[in-house]
Each structure stands twice: as C-alpha cells, then as structure tokens.
Amino acid sequence: MKRKILKILLIIAIVFAAYNAVWFAWSRIKYGKLTDGMEKAEFSSLIVPRYIHTDDEGYDYLVKYPDYLSFSGNLYIGLPVVNENPFRDALNIWPQMSGQYELGVLLYDQDGTEHAVYIDEDGNALNEEDKDVVSHHKEAIQDLLIKADEKWKLFD
C-alpha cells in the first residue's frame, strides 16, 4: 500500500514538474521576443517579468508575462497623455497558445466614462451593444492597432 501511494505521489510530482517546465518555456519564448527594445519595469518580478517602453511620440507599451502557471499574459499600448490626464484610450492584447490574439480596448468619453470593449483585428466591436462607442473612438482604435502592429508585428 505504501509503495502504491509513493508511485502516485511520484507521478503527481512528475506531472507538476512537466507542467511547470512547459509553462516556463512557453512564457519565455512567446513573450521574450515581444520585449525587444524595452526595459524591465520597476514592478517586474523573477516569476512574472514586466517590460515597459515609452516611444518618442509618447505612446506607452507594456508586456506582462503570464502569472505563475497561467498561460495568459498581456500586451498594452496607451495613447500619449494629453493635458496630464492619465485616462486615455488603450489597447490590450492577450496572446493565445494557438498563436491568435484576443483584443480589447479601454475607451474614455469626454465626461470620463470608461468602456471596456472586445474588438477584432480590424477594430470592430465583437458585441452589438458596443458598436456605437467603438464607432465614436474608431480613429484612436485604428491608431493603437497600427502602433501595436509596428511594435510587435502581430497581424501579418
């Protein structure tokens, strides 16, 4: 009986170690190539690195590796700050294991209302109820998509 329990524990340990190895390799390969020209952020950690960059035009870029044993990290690009207002439209990109990307935008109206919307690669809202707000912010969304593709070559 003792031997059987030890075998089961050994199998569990091997599976856990293999999952850790796959997670570590995938996250470092997938996200490592996205950090070229960026510097490690102050809030980065050994397990979950984060990289930032602000370009000459004031666009902010962030790469956040997946959390421990998660396969979901994200890329972020924000429009330049205007009049010291930190609330500005931004694009979030979630790389998928399939090689595809899930896209979302944070959009701010003049009155400060925030909208979190999922979009496709062309900048169209995925949900019918979000089409008006996306249409209102179409220029900013297209700008963010272009900047993201220039930086990370995602949509080739």
Side-chain angles (χ1 to χ4, degrees):
M1 182 68 169
K2 217 179 201 186
R3 204 172 197 127
K4 190 174 187 177
I5 291 173
L6 285 176
K7 267 187 176 180
I8 291 170
L9 289 175
L10 181 61
I11 290 170
I12 291 170
I14 290 170
V15 168
F16 183 68
Y19 188 86
N20 272 272
V22 168
W23 168 80
F24 186 83
W26 181 83
S27 68
R28 292 332 186 241
I29 291 167
K30 182 71 172 182
Y31 288 82
K33 64 184 175 187
L34 299 169
T35 62
D36 290 343
M38 300 177 81
E39 50 193 58
K40 214 168 227 187
E42 288 180 29
F43 46 90
S44 184
S45 71
L46 180 64
I47 300 295
V48 184
R50 291 173 173 86
Y51 288 82
I52 59 171
H53 174 71
T54 300
D55 70 13
D56 295 337
E57 298 174 54
Y59 290 86
D60 289 325
Y61 299 84
L62 171 75
V63 174
K64 181 200 166 282
Y65 281 57
D67 289 328
Y68 180 59
L69 299 184
S70 167
F71 288 89
S72 181
N74 71 300
L75 313 175
Y76 166 93
I77 178 170
L79 290 175
V81 174
V82 176
N83 300 328
E84 297 184 33
N85 180 2
F87 301 105
R88 59 217 165 106
D89 294 351
L91 173 66
N92 281 300
I93 303 164
W94 297 276
Q96 305 296 301
M97 288 192 70
S98 66
Q100 300 296 315
Y101 298 94
E102 189 171 312
L103 306 170
V105 286
L106 288 174
L107 306 170
Y108 293 91
D109 291 337
Q110 294 288 13
D111 65 1
T113 303
E114 178 185 271
H115 305 276
V117 179
Y118 287 104
I119 60 170
D120 64 20
E121 288 181 8
D122 297 320
N124 301 310
L126 295 182
N127 296 321
E128 190 68 36
E129 63 269 9
D130 297 322
K131 288 190 178 192
D132 286 341
V133 73
V134 166
S135 176
H136 181 70
H137 293 268
K138 192 71 169 170
E139 190 176 311
I141 292 169
Q142 289 304 315
D143 187 29
L144 291 166
L145 288 168
I146 289 167
K147 286 294 191 179
D149 194 44
E150 287 173 1
K151 176 74 174 160
W152 293 303
K153 311 285 186 259
L154 304 175
F155 308 120
D156 294 338

